């Protein structure tokens, strides 16, 4: 049976991969392609449906992303989101103007429930708006199906041609009933079966890797995080001892994490692979001396990681394939598509120059974090490892604001260990997407005993999220935060103040730097 697919056309929005993830949540395979894809190439993909993403441009601006009218005559259902809805209106005879009142954030939208998109949605529902322009007038053969007091065309449709458009973002968590709308489009409009499952992904990936690698040798950079661990086990299942995993301990891991990684993947572990651990802590600290800017630190850590990795690879000898645990958010936030760069990631921003290999294998490149976890469970990886807290490639280097030193690493390791211990101890961790402690660059006066202190402040972060593209600050019980703060200032030398970060994503990011 041919795999059915929905195609997301990227017009430059930050949520393009999130839209794809939501479609997959409906058990329908989805890929993201640039808006400039030719009609011929689009037809060749044989999509069951097409979704236009949002974007930062105005449709009437010179050089604004767009498409040809031909796409609307293909007979393929189309859903336009935010800027994508404006593209549809603009090309089909409607009017797009600068809105008298811009809308940003959670907004109550009144919908017509006789629209197929809104049949299961409340008549008044909260949606996430983010626009300066709006559709002033819908095309002649469209009917308006949703509105707000300041947005006359919050949604429109031409049901006969299966063309639908919404001014808001149904893909983000802030739109309360957004999944009902996307599910209606995927199943009721596109008539998808919903037969894409993670077990089939794992099975097909193992088969494809085995065929691609043959008798070749494979090298994998293993960090011990969820992404690289799942990639390593997937490769191990496919090629066994042909795989060598190099674990570079850069001294920026969480407390005791280096030893924990070795216990899982090392000689005493359960996996059929070759494991090499490199202790390079002092080397990284020396390189980071004096660096304070986040991007500078990321690039230093990424560059040095590659250099250490290259040195170890030379000791191993020639390899045919290099494995990376790249996932979708890495790709989109590194700006490799049309979207704006949020931050660089060393696992997609730089490759070894001196390692002799034929190809890169990125088995998880098309997956989001929650999908990677599902793949891990499918592979039989223990739950405690699969549900390990997400951790950035540069590690604590971007959880220490300002210059990184061995002493600051000690502070944040100890504070983070206390925080995680207390959160897990009361069971709060089960409802959190991510939580950690960071060391700020702020120092303040305090009093401990009879003495004056002038020490650092620790910031605690905890968010609720399923996709890591959007997140809400978690409401940690006050008594738990109080206990954590008390322990940190009493047990961590050099820290005299603890704060809690209430910022959501957007506008913030989950990590501090």
């Amino acid at each position: 049976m041919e795999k059915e697919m929905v195609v997301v056309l990227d017009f430059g929005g930050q949520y393009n991969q999130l839209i794809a993830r939501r479609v997959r949540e409906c058990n329908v395979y989805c890929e993201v392609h640039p808006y400039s894809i030719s009609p011929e190439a689009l037809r060749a993909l044989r999509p069951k449906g097409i979704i236009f993403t949002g974007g930062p441009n105005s449709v009437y601006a010179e050089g604004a992303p767009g498409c040809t009218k031909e796409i609307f005559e293909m007979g393929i259902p189309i859903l336009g989101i935010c800027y994508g809805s404006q593209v549809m209106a603009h090309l089909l005879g409607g009017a797009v103007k600068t809105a008298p009142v811009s809308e940003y954030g959670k907004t109550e939208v009144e919908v017509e429930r006789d629209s197929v998109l809104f049949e299961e949605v409340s008549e008044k529902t909260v949606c996430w708006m983010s626009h300066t322009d709006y559709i002033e007038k819908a095309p002649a053969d469209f009917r308006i199906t949703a509105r707000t007091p300041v947005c006359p065309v919050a949604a429109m449709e031409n049901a006969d041609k299966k063309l639908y458009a919404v001014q808001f973002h149904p893909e983000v968590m802030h739109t309360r009933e957004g999944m009902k709308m996307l599910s209606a489009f995927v199943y009721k409009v596109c008539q998808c079966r919903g037969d894409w499952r993670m077990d089939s992904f794992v099975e097909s990936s193992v088969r494809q890797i085995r065929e691609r690698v043959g008798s070749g040798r494979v090298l994998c950079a293993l960090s011990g995080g969820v992404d690289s661990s799942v990639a390593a086990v997937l490769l191990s299942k496919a090629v066994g001892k042909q795989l060598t995993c190099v674990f570079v301990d850069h001294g920026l891991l969480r407390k005791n994490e280096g030893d924990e990684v070795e216990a899982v993947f090392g000689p005493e572990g359960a996996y059929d692979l070759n494991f090499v651990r490199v202790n390079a802590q002092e080397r990284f600290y020396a390189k980071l001396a004096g660096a304070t800017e986040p991007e500078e630190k990321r690039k230093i850590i990424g560059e040095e990681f590659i250099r250490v990795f290259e040195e170890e690879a030379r000791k191993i000898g020639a390899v045919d394939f290099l494995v990376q645990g790249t996932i979708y958010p890495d790709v989109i936030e590194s700006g490799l598509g049309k979207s704006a760069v949020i931050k660089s990631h060393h696992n997609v921003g730089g490759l070894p120059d001196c390692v002799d290999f034929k190809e890169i294998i990125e088995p998880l490149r098309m997956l989001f974090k929650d999908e990677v976890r599902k793949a891990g469970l499918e592979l039989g990886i223990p739950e405690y490892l699969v549900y390990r807290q997400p951790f950035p490639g540069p590690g604590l280097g971007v959880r220490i604001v300002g210059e990184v030193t061995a002493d600051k690493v000690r502070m944040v390791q100890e504070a983070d260990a206390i925080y995680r211990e207390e959160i897990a101890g009361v069971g709060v961790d089960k409802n959190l997407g991510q939580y950690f402690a960071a060391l700020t660059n702020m120092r303040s006066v305090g009093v401990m005993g009879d003495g004056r202190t002038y020490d650092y402040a620790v910031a605690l972060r905890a968010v609720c999220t399923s996709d890591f593209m959007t997140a809400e600050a978690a409401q940690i019980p006050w008594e738990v935060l109080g206990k954590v703060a008390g322990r940190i200032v009493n047990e961590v030398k050099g820290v005299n103040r603890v704060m809690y970060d209430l910022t959501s994503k957007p506008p913030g990011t989950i990590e501090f730097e």
Side-chain angles (χ1 to χ4, degrees):
M1 189 182 340
E2 184 178 303
K3 178 173 64 179
E4 58 187 10
M5 179 198 302
V6 169
V7 169
V8 172
L9 292 189
D10 176 14
F11 285 90
Q14 286 300 324
Y15 301 136
N16 53 13
Q17 307 294 345
L18 180 55
I19 297 170
R21 183 227 172 269
R22 295 299 190 217
V23 173
R24 292 186 200 171
E25 202 170 70
C26 298
N27 296 318
V28 174
Y29 183 67
C30 187
E31 288 185 358
V32 178
H33 290 271
Y35 71 88
S36 56
I37 186 173
S38 69
E40 295 74 25
L42 188 56
R43 283 194 189 91
L45 294 171
R46 300 172 61 86
K48 298 276 287 186
I50 299 169
I51 300 178
F52 292 175
T53 74
N57 298 282
S58 293
V59 294
Y60 45 77
E62 185 177 352
C67 59
T68 65
K69 288 185 179 181
E70 185 180 348
I71 195 171
F72 301 107
E73 303 302 325
M74 290 182 178
I76 303 170
I78 299 175
L79 171 64
I81 293 175
C82 197
Y83 177 82
S85 71
Q86 296 167 12
V87 168
M88 185 181 294
H90 180 65
L91 290 174
L92 297 179
V96 177
K97 303 290 185 183
T98 299
V101 179
S102 298
E103 286 182 305
Y104 185 84
K106 294 178 180 178
T107 305
E108 187 175 77
V109 177
E110 185 177 344
V111 305
E112 300 291 339
R113 297 189 67 224
D114 61 345
S115 166
V116 66
L117 290 189
F118 306 130
E119 287 176 349
E120 306 298 325
V121 175
S122 306
E123 187 175 339
K124 291 184 178 180
T125 186
V126 173
C127 300
W128 182 262
M129 288 283 192
S130 180
H131 67 98
T132 301
D133 292 349
Y134 74 158
I135 301 171
E136 183 182 59
K137 180 182 178 184
D141 51 355
F142 278 68
R143 76 178 183 109
I144 298 170
T145 55
R147 58 191 59 80
T148 76
V150 297
C151 184
V153 189
M156 65 179 190
E157 68 180 48
N158 181 330
D160 292 337
K161 291 187 175 180
K162 297 185 178 180
L163 303 178
Y164 297 82
V166 294
Q167 179 60 71
F168 49 84
H169 289 272
E171 70 275 17
V172 302
M173 291 192 308
H174 311 304
T175 297
R176 292 178 185 169
E177 299 179 272
M179 273 305 297
K180 292 179 182 178
M181 303 171 197
L182 289 173
S183 180
F185 177 71
V186 167
Y187 282 106
K188 296 179 181 179
V189 179
C190 301
Q191 297 291 301
C192 290
R193 297 183 301 270
D195 55 6
W196 191 70
R197 300 286 197 279
M198 197 49 62
D199 56 351
S200 62
F201 168 82
V202 168
E203 182 182 340
S204 62
S205 294
V206 168
R207 183 178 63 253
Q208 290 165 10
I209 290 168
R210 192 172 289 147
E211 291 172 355
R212 183 177 175 187
V213 170
S215 60
R217 298 179 66 189
V218 185
L219 187 62
C220 175
L222 177 64
S223 71
V226 177
D227 305 334
S228 68
S229 295
V230 172
V233 175
L234 191 61
L235 266 293
S236 173
K237 186 169 182 178
V239 300
K241 287 291 188 180
Q242 293 168 238
L243 171 68
T244 297
C245 290
V246 175
F247 168 51
V248 179
D249 186 345
H250 49 28
L252 302 169
L253 300 171
R254 289 166 286 205
K255 189 174 182 179
N256 301 324
E257 196 160 43
D259 294 337
E260 292 170 2
V261 171
E262 185 170 4
V264 172
F265 291 100
E268 305 302 319
Y271 301 107
D272 185 30
L273 49 82
N274 300 303
F275 178 82
V276 178
R277 177 176 179 175
V278 186
N279 293 313
Q281 295 91 333
E282 297 305 319
R283 180 170 171 173
F284 276 84
Y285 296 159
K287 287 286 185 179
L288 286 165
T292 58
E293 292 300 315
E295 277 299 287
E296 182 186 8
K297 291 191 292 183
R298 285 179 178 273
K299 288 173 182 176
I300 289 171
I301 295 167
E303 171 71 17
E304 195 62 17
F305 178 91
I306 293 299
R307 300 286 81 83
V308 175
F309 188 73
E310 284 178 341
E311 292 169 13
E312 293 304 313
R314 290 192 194 98
K315 297 176 186 177
I316 293 167
V319 294
D320 301 290
F321 300 90
L322 178 68
V323 177
Q324 292 186 305
T326 309
I327 65 172
Y328 252 8
D330 295 339
V331 175
I332 187 60
E333 291 197 347
S334 292
L336 299 189
K338 295 293 183 181
S339 304
V341 176
I342 304 301
K343 63 186 79 165
S344 63
H345 292 259
H346 75 258
N347 60 331
V348 292
L351 295 171
D353 295 322
C354 304
V355 178
D356 182 19
F357 58 88
K358 294 177 183 175
E359 297 178 45
I360 302 291
I361 296 178
E362 295 176 310
L364 310 178
R365 188 181 179 87
M366 302 300 289
L367 301 185
F368 284 89
K369 183 71 73 175
D370 61 317
E371 295 176 318
V372 173
R373 295 190 198 282
K374 289 177 184 176
L377 293 175
E378 213 39 64
L379 286 162
I381 300 176
E383 285 195 16
Y384 76 87
L385 184 58
V386 170
Y387 289 104
R388 197 171 201 158
Q389 282 284 295
F391 198 59
L396 299 180
V398 291
R399 290 185 182 174
I400 295 172
V401 179
E403 185 179 14
V404 176
T405 66
D407 197 43
K408 287 182 177 180
V409 171
R410 173 195 58 78
M411 289 184 221
V412 75
Q413 282 180 333
E414 292 179 4
D416 183 70
I418 290 169
Y419 185 34
R420 288 187 289 125
E421 178 184 330
E422 293 297 334
I423 290 290
V426 295
V428 177
D429 59 316
K430 300 295 188 296
N431 300 318
L432 301 179
Q434 189 171 350
Y435 60 100
F436 58 88
L439 187 68
T440 74
N441 204 27
M442 184 188 87
R443 298 181 72 184
S444 62
V445 174
V447 179
M448 298 185 75
D450 294 322
R452 173 187 182 276
T453 63
Y454 186 63
D455 289 329
Y456 286 96
V458 160
L460 305 178
R461 180 78 159 136
V463 297
C464 297
T465 180
S466 61
D467 49 61
F468 295 86
M469 297 296 282
T470 60
E472 296 279 5
Q475 297 184 33
I476 305 295
W478 185 254
E479 60 271 18
V480 176
L481 288 176
K483 186 175 181 181
V484 171
R487 284 193 59 190
I488 288 175
V489 297
N490 280 294
E491 298 175 32
V492 182
K493 183 180 178 181
V495 175
N496 68 355
R497 195 175 295 268
V498 177
M499 302 177 288
Y500 187 67
D501 182 3
L502 290 171
T503 315
S504 64
K505 177 184 180 180
T509 58
I510 294 176
E511 295 289 343
F512 274 63
E513 293 191 333

